[in-house]
Amino acid sequence: MPSINRSKTKTPMPSQDAKLRSKNFNEVALGYTEEDAINEAQRCLNCKKPSCMEGCPVQVQIPRFIKHIAEKNFESAISVIKETNSLPAVCGRVCPQEEQCEQKCVLAKRGDPVGIGRLERFAADWERQQGVKIPDKANPIGKKVAVIGSGPAGLTCAGDLAKLGYDVTVFEAFHEPGGVLIYGIPEFRLPKEIVKQEVDFLKKLGVKVQTDMVMGKVLTVDDIFEKGYEAVFIGTGAGLPKFMKIPGENYLGVYSANEFLTRINLMKAYKFPETDTPVKVGKKVAVVGGGNVAMDSARSALRMGAEEVYIVYRRSESEMPARKEEFEHAKEEGIIFKFLTNPTRIIGDEKGWVKGLECIQMELGEPDASGRRRPVPIKGSEFTLDMDTVVIAIGTGPNPLLIEATEGLKLNKYGYIETDEDGRTSKEGVWAGGDIVTGSATVILAMGAGKKAAQSIHEYLQGK
Amino acid sequence: MFQIIDKKDLAPSIKQFVVDAPLVAQKARPGQFIILRIKEGGERIPLTIADYDTQKGTITIVFQEVGKTTKELGTLKAGDYLADFVGPLGKAVEFSNHKKVLGIGGGLGVAPLYPKLKMLHENGAEVISIIGAKTADMLIMEEEIKAVSDKTYVCTDDGSKGRHGFVTVVLKELLEQGEKFDEIIIIGPPILMKIGTEIAKPYNIPIMVSLNPIMIDGTGMCGGCRVTVGGETKFVCVDGPAFDGSKVDFDELMKRLQTYTSEEKLALDKYHSERGACKCHQ
């Protein structure tokens, strides 16, 4: 019987020193040692009715895997996780556990919850260090399923279907699979080698991955059916950057967060000129927005050599959608936060380069539809911040490329795909999930949608 | 991996590849483009499709060696492979029952002009073309353009072939003579498209231009290729590359093309020093 750890606080996570890390792209959080992990696992009460699991979109058997860690049986721990989660090393790093499993943990009532995310990460990293075991391939069913998009939704759906014996092909538009895990989330939060290994694991399960396939252009959904696929899952994400529609947004040095992060992450601009794609980061950078993408952009700008990096957000700290951990990390690294500040105009020089960001001071008014207090501009409070780079991270919309090329797909009023609870769309044999259905959300919600859709596709194809 | 089946030198520093890309060729239409990457770590560059063969499953691209990537591309030979070849991207052009069309191509712009004129010619339209280059030996695809045109004017900046002067001079003359067209297509460097549009605009003839901004993904995901068209922001990769020239803010496009001038020079210098090439031809 493992001993019990009655500490009210989580075993701390070792991390790179803030000053040091703000100059490199190496991972910030360093992960638990075996000792840390066992220590933390021993805090779990192993509840008979574990409420933590209600908070997990992919139903990881949380107390079971934690018990294995407490007993130093790491191999069993990871195999429990992998029963339901195809991307544990990713989830252990980027899931907002504080709003999900950990929020529901009984210990959270009187202290810190069990560090479920940290333990998941530990188990996944332990396995990677040992060398991932090649799983037994399922007996082939002899039915082909196509997955469009290789982000978290698509990879999860593909993995679950492959485990059931389907012949799954994932079509990815970029030259590398992983979607937002590759182009969006920075190396220092999610090393790309990990994404690569998770994709390799899926390949070992039999999943085929075809890159360079911009679906809707090179093949339509109907073409896919003609090629003998019996079901299609669309997980193309919400890849259409929103701009603020204020004057000056096309000045040189203004980026959408998507472009800024894609240059740095996917195209590895931080290694330029060793790699061929550059990114221009000035001395003073303003990132507009208050979500995780804004934090990622600001912290990336700092690592690219910016001297001062601002986050300009129109609401106050408490309304910020970013994870608390990301906000804390950004603050530690020296990011300057300008709350209740809304850009009104980008100012450029005669050659078209950004030189300033004109903003207006805001105050909080009555709550809006989202339940958050609505920011209202204070008349006459305009002021200008000198800037030479502006990154706009105010969200994304649905990318219409595939949608426009697919007949019979019902959309909602915002242009996202309409589905039922299981991800089934209005088009026969077509499912969808992730940001292309919900709008910008989290990795784990997309994975949950991919998982549900896989189950529903399985039921559909069994009856066929 | 995508194999280069054929390579041709069209002019000093301008090369043509025929690339084996059956899926892309299956769907390609005039006006669309591809994005390629030479190798791991390479940059993604957009190139307009100069021709395609659905039967053979090939795409023809034409490029000029100006920066590091295009120079490196130029060193590849028939039989070599490209790491990535993505497409067809962008909107295909459509012409509604055009009877008479004027096509203008300057420099490398002659290549993307060709498939449009070819389609118009096949649809029975009368095609008048004006093509030009700096010098006679920089002129490309003259025979191909002539084969799909009813009349072709050739111009060179230095007078070494055809008319002495810019293609826009001939454009001006034709319009002043009262020639009527259902559409004028102008493709070339932004400054050419800007001047051509300014000349043609008063005649109230639709003007089509094809834009070439900096791009990354080519799927509308990053917005790096944004241009202002008719006062609205458009993404060239998904809304274009063809636009109504009379509405395009060319000055903004030209400025935005300068974003990475110093980085482009750095990359090229590094490339040259690593290859040990002499610097006298730069």
Side-chain angles (χ1 to χ4, degrees), chain B residues 71-220:
Chain B
K71 279 192 197 278
E72 191 173 1
L73 193 61
T75 65
L76 300 185
K77 300 177 291 293
D80 288 346
Y81 288 85
L82 300 165
D84 303 283
F85 197 84
V86 189
L89 300 169
K91 285 200 160 73
V93 293
E94 277 166 37
F95 301 103
S96 51
N97 276 326
H98 282 10
K99 302 255 173 349
K100 189 176 179 184
V101 173
L102 176 63
I104 303 167
L108 197 66
V110 177
L113 178 68
Y114 173 67
K116 298 180 184 74
L117 297 190
K118 185 179 172 186
M119 178 170 77
L120 284 158
H121 176 74
E122 282 167 1
N123 291 348
E126 183 184 350
V127 175
I128 312 295
S129 52
I130 314 171
I131 56 170
K134 279 197 175 112
T135 59
D137 62 352
M138 292 298 283
L139 189 72
I140 58 165
M141 298 178 78
E142 184 185 350
E143 289 315 309
E144 287 90 335
I145 291 286
K146 281 185 170 163
V148 296
S149 303
D150 295 273
K151 184 167 176 52
T152 301
Y153 298 87
V154 173
C155 310
T156 49
D157 297 359
D158 68 346
S160 52
K161 184 166 194 179
R163 288 279 303 269
H164 186 172
F166 298 132
V167 286
T168 46
V169 176
V170 181
L171 163 69
K172 197 161 182 252
E173 279 174 17
L174 292 179
L175 291 171
E176 280 171 356
Q177 284 161 17
E179 288 251 25
K180 297 268 183 289
F181 303 98
D182 294 310
E183 186 145 5
I184 301 175
I185 307 163
I186 313 174
I187 309 179
I191 186 69
L192 165 73
M193 294 192 280
K194 181 188 171 178
I195 293 169
T197 299
E198 278 167 5
I199 292 169
K201 214 170 168 177
Y203 294 87
N204 285 320
I205 298 168
I207 305 162
M208 178 190 284
V209 295
S210 182
L211 307 184
N212 53 346
I214 297 168
M215 283 187 195
I216 304 180
D217 58 290
T219 65

Side-chain angles (χ1 to χ4, degrees), chain A residues 173-176 183 212-214 217-220 223 227 239-241 243 249-252 254-256 258-259 262-263 267 272-280 350-353 399 401, chain B residues 2 23-24 27 32 37 40-44 68-69 83-90 214 216-217 219-224 226 228 233 235 238 252 255-256 259-260 262-263 266-267 270:
Chain A
F174 271 136
H175 51 263
E176 244 176 85
Y183 75 74
D212 290 345
M213 296 292 279
V214 179
K217 287 290 180 187
V218 67
L219 290 177
T220 63
D223 291 337
K227 284 179 179 290
L240 186 75
F243 287 90
E249 279 188 302
N250 292 350
Y251 281 131
L252 285 70
V254 181
Y255 291 96
S256 74
N258 264 5
E259 181 184 1
T262 299
R263 282 181 178 274
M267 304 311 295
F272 179 85
E274 194 189 310
T275 53
D276 290 339
T277 308
V279 67
K280 206 112 176 175
E350 64 289 348
K351 284 187 173 162
W353 282 95
N399 188 316
L401 215 86
Chain B
F2 298 82
L23 284 174
V24 184
K27 287 285 167 78
Q32 292 188 295
R37 209 169 62 118
E40 202 52 44
E43 103 188 283
R44 296 169 65 98
K68 190 242 167 176
T69 299
D84 303 283
F85 197 84
V86 189
L89 300 169
I214 297 168
I216 304 180
D217 58 290
T219 65
M221 201 277 282
C222 84
R226 62 195 186 276
T228 304
T233 293
F235 292 177
V238 287
E252 182 186 89
K255 277 182 186 159
R256 287 184 61 82
T259 307
Y260 296 103
S262 57
E263 286 78 9
L266 180 71
K270 183 172 174 278

